[in-house]
Amino acid sequence: MTALLALPEGLFALLAALRRLLYRSGLKTVTTLPVPVVIIGNINVGGVGKTPLTETLLRDFAALGVKAGVISRGYGGSHTAATLVSAHTPASLVGDEPLLLAATGSPVTVGRDRIAAARLLLQHHPDLDWILSDDGLQHYALGRSLEIVVLDGERGLGNGHLLPAGPLREAPSRLRSVDALVVNGGRAGALALPAGVPVFRQTLAPGAFYRAANPADTRQAQDFAAERVVALAGIGNPQRFFDTLQRQGVTLQRSIALPDHHPLAAADLPQDADAVIVTAKDAVKLQCVNHARLWILPVAARLEPDLAPWILSRLKETNGRKIS
């Protein structure tokens, strides 16, 4: 880190700490909702695997008979007010991740103001047992019952510095105050994690490839052997997706990495490939593209130990809210 970045990093750290202190001291208002709120967040920028985790939790909660809804910022969407999300809502309006979460059958709303998004969600679904907030760890105006932070097991906390000198939104010491950590990939033991905070290991398990134009048409990796294959990803960590394809046995002619939440369109798809493989997150932005050469590789998060029962147990232990 250069000395030039030390001053803006120090200012960023001061403002972040002051903002949190104002909410903890009661000088700024924290809104407590009538149902518990579970934050699924991170302290660093970039993709860490929160959305696959939230997808899996929603399905696990449904299997346990728990009704959970989701609020999200809706990055990449053009919405200006809290908005309900359905399977047919354009990604250009609400962003890509909320559409993936809505595909689980759980109710989802998006909004820059997460409190407004949560109130809209409860207005339409008053029978919810609790709300998952996809991101929002630093949205301190929203009261929360549990905070779960996701870490990339390979990249960790980078150089350990805050923006703009490093990738962190808050200092590593913030991890001591959360309720649980989820380490996505890599080795949890290789990270310097705070003692006393429960740690869950997340792995992303790929499913069968399926054709965008006909999801019933599925393939295995070896079915691409004789074809020119291009992988395309506009996610937080595109290389993770490309590595997954190669571990599956797919030989790539080339890979195309786009910015996270990139507004994909048909024109972005290469024309010189026999098959173009994208993530499920990118695919929701291409719903209107009837492209016979477009294939999707879905992934599902697996947790060791199971996280959903742990959350259920913790929420039964206490109905109190925390201000972190």
Side-chain angles (χ1 to χ4, degrees), residues 21-293:
L21 178 61
L22 290 174
Y23 282 105
R24 294 186 71 186
S25 65
L27 293 176
K28 290 188 72 109
T29 301
V30 176
T31 298
T32 300
L33 296 172
V35 299
V37 173
V38 178
I39 301 286
I40 309 294
N42 60 330
I43 67 168
N44 52 317
V45 297
V48 294
K50 296 189 308 298
T51 301
L53 171 62
T54 306
E55 282 184 277
T56 293
L57 287 175
L58 289 171
R59 292 191 170 97
D60 289 348
F61 287 145
L64 292 169
V66 175
K67 296 179 180 178
V70 178
I71 56 173
S72 172
R73 167 65 173 79
Y75 287 103
S78 62
H79 59 88
T80 57
T83 304
L84 284 168
V85 180
S86 75
H88 305 293
T89 307
S92 60
L93 177 64
V94 298
D96 43 29
E97 292 164 350
L99 280 176
L100 272 182
L101 299 174
T104 65
S106 299
V108 179
T109 58
V110 299
R112 292 174 174 84
D113 181 344
R114 287 181 178 82
I115 296 169
R119 285 174 170 160
L120 179 65
L121 186 67
L122 291 173
Q123 176 185 335
H124 287 267
H125 301 276
D127 59 340
L128 290 179
D129 294 307
W130 60 66
I131 292 173
L132 292 178
S133 177
D134 184 22
D135 210 355
L137 184 67
Q138 291 79 32
H139 199 82
Y140 289 116
L142 176 64
R144 67 281 310 266
S145 300
L146 291 176
E147 292 180 330
I148 299 170
V149 166
V150 186
L151 298 173
D152 187 315
E154 296 175 355
R155 293 182 295 176
L157 300 178
N159 63 5
H161 288 280
L162 275 67
L163 295 167
L168 302 185
R169 301 171 179 173
E170 294 186 275
S173 59
R174 175 70 169 87
L175 299 179
R176 295 199 295 264
S177 65
V178 304
D179 297 283
L181 298 170
V182 174
V183 179
N184 180 28
R187 294 184 301 112
L191 303 179
L193 302 177
V197 179
V199 177
F200 296 80
R201 172 79 183 276
Q202 173 174 304
T203 54
L204 298 179
F209 299 87
Y210 64 92
R211 195 189 298 270
N214 179 18
D217 187 1
T218 62
R219 278 186 172 186
Q220 300 300 317
Q222 61 267 24
D223 297 324
F224 295 100
E227 298 182 347
R228 294 170 298 172
V229 179
V230 174
L232 185 151
I235 59 176
N237 185 1
Q239 191 58 49
R240 185 192 296 276
F241 177 63
F242 303 147
D243 291 344
T244 298
L245 290 174
Q246 292 174 331
R247 284 195 299 268
Q248 290 286 97
V250 177
T251 300
L252 298 178
Q253 183 186 54
R254 71 180 189 277
S255 55
I256 302 173
L258 298 171
D260 196 11
H261 307 292
H262 178 78
L264 272 174
D268 292 304
L269 302 179
Q271 300 301 310
D272 60 344
D274 299 312
V276 180
I277 304 178
V278 299
T279 68
K281 175 180 167 179
D282 289 315
V284 298
K285 293 173 284 190
L286 297 167
Q287 289 180 353
C288 296
V289 178
N290 186 16
H291 201 313
R293 294 180 294 121

